[in-house]
Amino acid sequence: MLAEFKRFNVDHITEDIIVGSVDVKALYPSLDATFTVEKVCEIFYSISVKVIGIDTEELGLYLALNKTETELVDLDILCFCPTRKTNRGRPPTIIGCAIDNNKDKRFEPWLPPKEEPDEQTTRRMFTIAMKVTLLFIMENHMYTFDNEIKLQSRGGPIGLQLTGVLAQLFMVWWDREFEHKMKEIGLRLWLYKRYVDDINSILSVPKMGLRFDGSTLVKDEVASEEDRLIEQDERAMRLFKSVADSIHTSIEMEIDCPSPNDDHKLPILDLKVWIEEREEIEGQLKEKIVLHEFYSKEVASKSVDNARSAWSWNTYDNIRRLDACGEKPMYRPRQWQRVDRAQEKRKKRDTWYKKGGYESVISVPATPKSILKQRYEREVRRIGLNIKIVEQSGVTLKRQLQRSNPFKEKLCQRQECLICQSGGKGECNATGVTYELVCQECKDKYIGETSRSAYSRGKEHLHSLNRREEQSVMWRHACEKHGGDTPSFVMNVTGIFRDDAKLRQITEAVFIGKVKHNELINAKNEWNYIKVPRAIVTIE
């Protein structure tokens, strides 16, 4: 959140805005299982995740066992599923011959499918099968209460891990619908961050008397008089809630904003935030910024640990012993042995791989069944080197499906932003980056790096070009290659390194080395700015 507030504060917002938060009221128990599964499967089918290794015969059999022929016809997949040899007697069931280990017996009552499904059809059939499975699990959850076994009657089972996954994916759909609704009625969200069911946002203050009737905003004179009696942040959040509650009947929101609190600050986890105005400078409009402070809730205990903590009893006893003797207080102030703790943390970070007697470490990309890692380990053992091989983690499915900020605009709308205005690629607010400037006429490139944001560096390049300064790389290129006519340039962010200056500069040198000298805008004294040693290893 702090990073988002920091980005927001550089946008120089002058119109009236408020900060608020909403929380879904009892998310899991409120879920409509059928509707939730439907939307989750829609999301799955719409994304680019490939489903491979599916036995289409077994998939068709599963659908034939769980859907009637009429339903399969309506779904337009009957020709890809087996059909019964005879309609006499009871139809086969999922707990009958379908669970037999012998494939011939499983398919004995069925005629083979008329057609073989293509990749797209297989994906659709898999989605339908997934819908059947998820809905069955959600509607048949059993739990024990007061020594009695009960069936979950409605809502998402709280004790089921699947409920959490479905709820998060369902909220992705909810985010999209909410985004569309807010844009449709003209309410601007400057910031929108959601974590599971907690949403923090900054939005423009609506005019007095506006009410949401389910589809649009309407002006109500009576409501205007009512709005004069309440603070503008509470008025805005009430309107926010009315729009949010209209997305689906299963989702009901609870709102919070600064004005109802005694200190007029909004609590968010361990923060308190509020909106303030910057002082007016040279007749300009006052800018609105988000300020924050850290705080601890009054109910936070300083001496009691949760009995259901993930700590083992031995760990807890050891912590209590160290606390009792004063060697390591359980709730220590931030300054307690700060230097020693920083050194210990740095030592762990730099030597973590040495456990087991290793002298160095190599990170390799993740591959199926860790094939690449195993090949490295065999080669390292053969050579006799004492090197630890670590496999890098891949991108999780959750990260592919979920967006932390579904309302984030692709362009920052700042006229002096060279990246966004030129249609370049990359995050303009990222700091510690490598970048390239590409001439659109001759495709020559300038490779650069900066510890500041890409936006700030691009702004400097534009300023130097407009003033035709001698040190401007773009103006120099215009004079040398285009006779003084200024071509258009595109700026792309090619890497984000944050505080790692060494890696950033080495990467710049590598990028410079990859561009042909006659296509490089960089001055010759930059070509070998950092000489990167290279070694070629041949594995027989």
Side-chain angles (χ1 to χ4, degrees):
M1 285 305 302
L2 291 181
E4 291 299 323
F5 291 149
K6 183 178 180 180
R7 293 191 187 99
F8 173 81
N9 286 339
V10 302
D11 286 338
H12 310 294
I13 307 302
T14 57
E15 64 180 83
D16 289 336
I17 55 173
I18 64 99
V19 60
S21 68
V22 294
D23 176 48
V24 180
K25 187 176 181 180
L27 174 59
Y28 290 3
S30 300
L31 289 176
D32 182 331
T34 303
F35 188 80
T36 299
V37 169
E38 180 76 28
K39 294 306 173 184
V40 167
C41 290
E42 282 183 12
I43 292 174
F44 174 81
Y45 186 70
S46 65
I47 61 177
S48 58
V49 174
K50 289 187 176 181
V51 182
I52 59 176
I54 293 179
D55 188 329
T56 55
E57 283 188 291
E58 298 289 355
L59 178 60
L61 177 60
Y62 182 81
L63 292 173
L65 288 165
N66 287 280
K67 296 286 186 181
T68 65
E69 283 197 12
T70 303
E71 291 174 327
L72 295 176
V73 170
D74 293 340
L75 294 168
D76 197 23
I77 57 173
L78 178 62
C79 58
F80 306 110
C81 299
T83 53
R84 292 180 62 190
K85 291 181 178 179
T86 176
N87 290 325
R88 291 182 297 177
R90 294 180 58 189
T93 63
I94 195 71
I95 58 174
C97 63
I99 60 175
D100 199 296
N101 290 329
N102 190 314
K103 183 175 181 179
D104 293 335
K105 290 185 178 181
R106 287 202 304 274
F107 284 87
E108 185 177 355
W110 304 91
L111 294 172
K114 296 179 180 179
E115 297 181 31
E116 185 75 19
D118 57 18
E119 182 179 346
Q120 188 67 19
T121 304
T122 301
R123 180 182 173 83
R124 187 160 61 89
M125 292 171 64
F126 180 81
T127 305
I128 297 170
M130 185 171 67
K131 187 185 303 183
V132 172
T133 304
L134 293 176
L135 193 57
F136 179 84
I137 295 173
M138 294 290 283
E139 292 182 343
N140 293 274
H141 179 72
M142 312 291 289
Y143 65 95
T144 303
F145 180 77
D146 197 19
N147 294 325
E148 293 184 8
I149 298 177
K150 297 179 179 291
L151 174 67
Q152 183 88 20
S153 59
R154 58 187 175 85
I158 294 179
L160 186 64
Q161 189 174 4
L162 176 65
T163 305
V165 177
L166 295 181
Q168 292 203 46
L169 292 175
F170 175 74
M171 289 304 294
V172 172
W173 169 84
W174 190 93
D175 287 336
R176 294 173 180 174
E177 294 297 310
F178 182 70
E179 173 188 15
H180 176 74
K181 184 73 71 175
M182 292 292 279
K183 287 184 177 180
E184 193 176 64
I185 64 177
L187 286 180
R188 179 165 185 179
L189 288 169
W190 293 91
L191 183 144
Y192 181 96
K193 296 290 289 184
R194 177 178 61 81
Y195 178 72
V196 188
D197 61 343
D198 295 319
I199 301 172
N200 303 310
S201 61
I202 298 175
L203 62 153
S204 298
V205 177
K207 296 179 180 179
M208 290 188 180
L210 290 180
R211 294 294 184 268
F212 182 68
D213 65 356
S215 59
T216 186
L217 293 179
V218 294
K219 180 75 172 180
D220 188 331
E221 295 301 331
V222 176
S224 297
E225 296 301 322
E226 296 175 354
D227 287 349
R228 297 181 189 279
L229 303 177
I230 60 176
E231 297 290 341
Q232 63 179 11
D233 59 349
E234 188 172 355
R235 183 177 82 243
M237 291 308 296
R238 286 182 182 180
L239 192 57
F240 185 105
K241 171 179 166 59
S242 62
V243 177
D245 289 347
S246 71
I247 302 301
H248 191 259
T249 54
S250 64
I251 301 298
E252 183 181 353
M253 295 294 184
E254 297 176 324
I255 61 172
D256 193 11
C257 52
S259 62
N261 299 298
D262 294 336
D263 56 1
H264 292 276
K265 297 175 182 178
L266 173 68
I268 300 176
L269 299 178
D270 61 344
L271 299 175
K272 284 189 176 182
V273 299
W274 66 97
I275 301 289
E276 279 197 7
E277 292 182 338
R278 283 181 175 149
E279 294 184 3
E280 187 175 354
I281 302 175
E282 298 179 358
Q284 297 180 357
L285 294 175
K286 293 184 178 180
E287 296 178 355
K288 309 298 190 301
I289 59 173
V290 180
L291 298 181
H292 74 276
E293 65 183 19
F294 293 97
Y295 91 111
S296 177
K297 295 181 180 179
E298 295 181 359
V299 296
S301 172
K302 301 299 182 184
S303 58
V304 178
D305 275 298
N306 194 334
R308 300 175 64 185
S309 168
W311 285 343
S312 66
W313 284 109
N314 289 338
T315 301
Y316 182 63
D317 287 341
N318 186 48
I319 291 174
R320 286 196 303 174
R321 180 183 60 78
L322 294 175
D323 179 60
C325 67
E327 184 177 343
K328 188 176 183 180
M330 187 181 301
Y331 297 98
R332 51 191 177 273
R334 180 172 293 183
Q335 299 298 328
W336 183 81
Q337 295 186 2
R338 187 169 186 173
V339 176
D340 294 339
R341 288 190 291 116
Q343 291 177 349
E344 183 180 357
K345 185 182 294 185
R346 192 180 303 112
K347 182 180 179 181
K348 288 182 179 179
R349 184 185 62 198
D350 296 339
T351 62
W352 60 269
Y353 59 86
K354 293 187 177 181
K355 187 176 181 180
Y358 294 105
E359 298 175 357
S360 186
V361 61
I362 295 177
S363 297
V364 299
T367 53
K369 298 183 180 180
S370 301
I371 294 176
L372 182 60
K373 177 185 176 184
Q374 293 172 10
R375 291 182 62 183
Y376 265 85
E377 289 176 338
R378 286 197 300 268
E379 192 62 30
V380 166
R381 286 196 299 268
R382 186 184 68 81
I383 299 174
L385 298 176
N386 205 8
I387 298 177
K388 185 179 182 67
I389 309 300
V390 178
E391 191 173 45
Q392 298 172 346
S393 60
V395 180
T396 63
L397 180 62
K398 174 183 174 182
R399 187 168 182 179
Q400 293 184 45
L401 298 177
Q402 189 176 29
R403 290 185 297 167
S404 59
N405 184 1
F407 307 114
K408 184 177 180 180
E409 296 181 356
K410 293 183 178 180
L411 301 179
C412 68
Q413 307 300 330
R414 292 176 290 195
Q415 293 298 322
E416 64 273 21
C417 181
L418 182 55
I419 296 177
C420 297
Q421 295 304 319
S422 66
K425 299 178 181 179
E427 175 59 56
C428 61
N429 287 321
T431 57
V433 301
T434 56
Y435 64 92
E436 64 179 12
L437 296 171
V438 183
C439 175
Q440 291 299 90
E441 292 190 15
C442 63
K443 302 303 179 183
D444 286 3
K445 291 182 179 180
Y446 173 82
I447 308 298
E449 60 88 16
T450 178
S451 61
R452 293 168 296 148
S453 69
Y455 161 74
S456 299
R457 189 68 183 104
K459 184 178 178 181
E460 288 180 351
H461 279 300
L462 276 179
H463 182 71
S464 298
L465 175 63
N466 293 334
R467 297 183 63 179
R468 300 189 174 185
E469 295 178 354
E470 185 178 347
Q471 68 270 24
S472 169
V473 294
M474 293 194 291
W475 174 241
R476 185 176 69 237
H477 176 73
C479 294
E480 293 176 355
K481 289 290 186 75
H482 303 285
D485 295 331
T486 304
S488 58
F489 288 87
V490 172
M491 181 176 180
N492 300 313
V493 175
T494 56
I496 301 176
F497 303 91
R498 305 298 181 192
D499 298 326
D500 196 336
K502 182 187 295 184
L503 181 58
R504 186 178 71 243
Q505 292 173 359
I506 290 175
T507 303
E508 179 198 26
V510 172
F511 285 159
I512 289 176
K514 289 183 177 181
V515 181
K516 296 179 180 178
H517 286 177
N518 61 337
E519 298 177 358
L520 193 63
I521 301 178
N522 297 63
K524 288 187 177 181
N525 59 359
E526 296 180 81
W527 291 358
N528 296 313
Y529 175 58
I530 296 180
K531 194 70 174 179
V532 181
R534 299 178 182 274
I536 299 176
V537 178
T538 303
I539 300 177
E540 298 179 354

